[in-house]
Amino acid sequence: MGIAGTRPVTGAEYRALMSAFPTGVAVITAVDAADRPHGMTCTSLTSVTVSPPILLTCLDVRSGTLGAVLDSGAFAVNLLRADSRRTAELFASAAPDRFDRAAWRPSRLLGVPWLHADSFARAECAVKKTVDVGDHVIVIGGVVSIDQERDVPLLYGLSGFAPWPGEMAL
């Protein structure tokens, strides 16, 4: 749908716009019905409400991670440390052995994968609602537990990774 007299925005134009908006880097993880771990790098993560604590993430409809989230009804948000670019790239790839190449353990309550060595903050989430939008699904999750340390977050923008600038850290 467009405005009369305008041309549709191309995918390349839209990607260029969104890459100019730096954001934190997270890996969303879940386990499927066969208890196999799945995960993907994600920069689409947003707080929805504080009371109760609810967030949302957007996952590609073709993603095995989305399938695992829907199978289990739960997922983890792993906020990556500034020195975890390798893990961000690994979970952005199609490598089938991602969980053999990254340190992880099941979370306390929901048993979803926590990337404890590469993340400085982790949240366990129970799926509250999903909304299909184009080639992605918005997954709304209620945060049931948080594990967090003080560290510098990894950022993504302008098609590259960088640490949070300056001396600021959580």
Side-chain angles (χ1 to χ4, degrees):
M1 179 187 328
I3 298 173
T6 64
R7 67 170 178 74
V9 172
T10 68
E13 290 171 325
Y14 186 66
R15 275 192 274 303
L17 171 72
M18 295 313 298
S19 77
F21 185 67
T23 185
V25 181
V27 174
I28 304 301
T29 56
V31 293
D32 64 19
D35 210 31
R36 289 183 306 252
H38 293 263
M40 62 178 283
T41 299
C42 176
T43 57
S44 297
L45 178 68
T46 303
S47 173
V48 177
T49 67
V50 172
S51 182
I54 295 177
L55 56 79
L56 70 77
T57 187
C58 300
L59 305 177
D60 191 304
V61 296
R62 300 163 296 178
S63 165
T65 302
L66 174 61
V69 168
L70 298 176
D71 280 352
S72 66
F75 62 97
V77 173
N78 297 271
L79 302 182
L80 296 188
R81 302 176 191 280
D83 63 356
S84 296
R85 176 181 178 161
R86 181 193 65 78
T87 300
E89 291 170 341
L90 174 64
F91 281 88
S93 77
D97 62 344
R98 289 177 234 174
F99 284 91
D100 294 334
R101 296 167 50 192
W104 69 279
R105 66 176 178 251
S107 64
R108 296 184 304 255
L109 298 176
L110 303 176
V112 290
W114 273 3
L115 303 175
H116 58 87
D118 290 303
S119 62
F120 68 94
R122 294 152 293 278
E124 293 179 276
C125 302
V127 175
K128 296 288 187 191
K129 183 176 184 175
T130 61
V131 180
D132 295 345
V133 181
D135 62 359
H136 279 65
V137 173
I138 299 170
V139 180
I140 300 169
V143 179
V144 298
S145 82
I146 294 172
D147 181 58
Q148 186 169 343
E149 302 125 33
R150 188 175 174 86
D151 210 331
V152 177
L154 180 64
L155 300 179
Y156 185 80
L158 300 174
S159 301
F161 294 98
W164 186 272
E167 298 297 316
M168 294 180 66
L170 292 177

